[in-house]
Amino acid sequence: MSKGGKLIIFSAPSGSGKTTIVRHLLKQPELNLAFSVSATSRPPRGEEKDGVNYYFISTKEFKQHIKNDDFLEWEEVYRDNFYGTLKSEVERLWAQGKNVIFDIDVVGGLRIKKKFPKETLAVFVKPPSVDELKIRLKKRSTESEDKINMRVAKASVELATAPQFDKVIKNYDLDKALEESYRLVANFVHTKSEEE
């Protein structure tokens, strides 16, 4: 892959507020960010649109992309439920001269950081507590109790990876979390990397 702009990763357990933070940052023109749309083999939920929220592809297609080494990172999150970042997506955004921002799970985020250590800022968004997380997920009311419990169990495992990230933002107060995220990203995109 050719080198381009910076990569900014926001990872967190489901319901931590990372998507809200990423949406906020994308609205700040001076950061010059573009959103990396992930591919997934799961069907769209609610209002989700192909190419906007995700690239929705079949499990068979997804496996073919894996064989072709088309992904920067990918993961089978639940059985036959794949998520991944296509290299072509990042290259497309870099070609537009953009810094690429990811709203991605913990494993994927750390994989990208490993591949592009100098160009990547990896941020972990920490919810106030696992209990609070459960309340937030229930409020969304998009998923069954089983699915919520699965996400909560996964969250405990994901919280343990926080120290592997460059920065941890505690999302106890959304305004403060947005401000802190903005400051971090602004500093990162406006500093030149050593190679430039």
Side-chain angles (χ1 to χ4, degrees):
M1 269 180 78
S2 57
K3 293 274 166 85
K6 304 260 175 105
L7 301 172
I8 295 111
I9 288 161
F10 275 83
S11 290
S14 214
S16 301
K18 70 177 183 309
T19 305
T20 308
I21 293 172
V22 167
R23 282 190 188 136
H24 171 74
L25 294 172
L26 281 163
K27 287 184 192 136
Q28 318 307 317
E30 67 284 5
L31 298 177
N32 190 28
L33 299 175
F35 182 66
S36 167
V37 178
S38 297
T40 182
S41 65
R42 74 159 172 78
R45 279 188 211 128
E47 300 288 298
E48 288 179 336
K49 288 183 175 65
D50 184 51
V52 177
N53 305 89
Y54 287 98
Y55 294 115
F56 294 101
I57 59 180
S58 68
T59 304
K60 192 179 163 192
E61 276 177 277
F62 204 104
K63 288 177 175 169
Q64 191 53 54
H65 278 303
I66 292 170
K67 262 196 199 121
N68 299 347
D69 192 30
D70 293 335
F71 287 108
L72 194 51
E73 59 76 34
W74 64 272
E75 190 191 356
E76 189 171 10
V77 180
Y78 305 108
R79 191 184 154 77
D80 275 344
N81 201 333
F82 292 92
Y83 289 85
T85 303
L86 289 160
K87 291 175 183 173
S88 57
E89 174 71 355
V90 176
E91 296 203 317
R92 178 178 76 80
L93 300 172
W94 272 352
Q96 295 170 12
K98 296 286 192 184
N99 296 307
V100 183
I101 191 164
F102 300 82
D103 170 348
I104 192 175
D105 85 342
V106 170
V107 177
L110 291 171
R111 280 194 189 131
I112 292 172
K113 174 76 189 170
K114 214 175 249 166
K115 281 187 182 158
F116 295 100
K118 284 196 175 79
E119 299 88 350
T120 305
L121 170 68
V123 183
F124 187 93
V125 181
K126 210 172 188 175
S129 68
V130 172
D131 290 339
E132 172 63 23
L133 204 65
K134 197 165 186 177
I135 293 163
R136 288 181 188 180
L137 289 169
K138 279 189 165 154
K139 271 190 191 151
R140 275 190 198 172
S141 64
T142 51
E143 296 178 319
S144 68
E145 186 74 25
D146 276 359
K147 208 58 187 267
I148 289 171
N149 290 335
M150 238 155 105
R151 287 192 185 279
V152 169
K154 194 168 177 253
S156 308
V157 176
E158 289 172 331
L159 286 165
T161 68
Q164 296 174 52
F165 284 78
D166 299 317
K167 298 283 181 220
V168 176
I169 288 178
K170 295 185 174 100
N171 187 10
Y172 300 174
D173 170 329
L174 184 61
D175 289 333
K176 279 195 183 129
L178 292 175
E179 208 174 292
E180 199 184 333
S181 302
Y182 176 81
R183 237 190 358 258
L184 265 179
V185 173
N187 286 340
F188 183 70
V189 299
H190 295 129
T191 45
K192 296 263 178 244
S193 64
E194 292 128 55
E195 292 157 20
E196 285 172 45

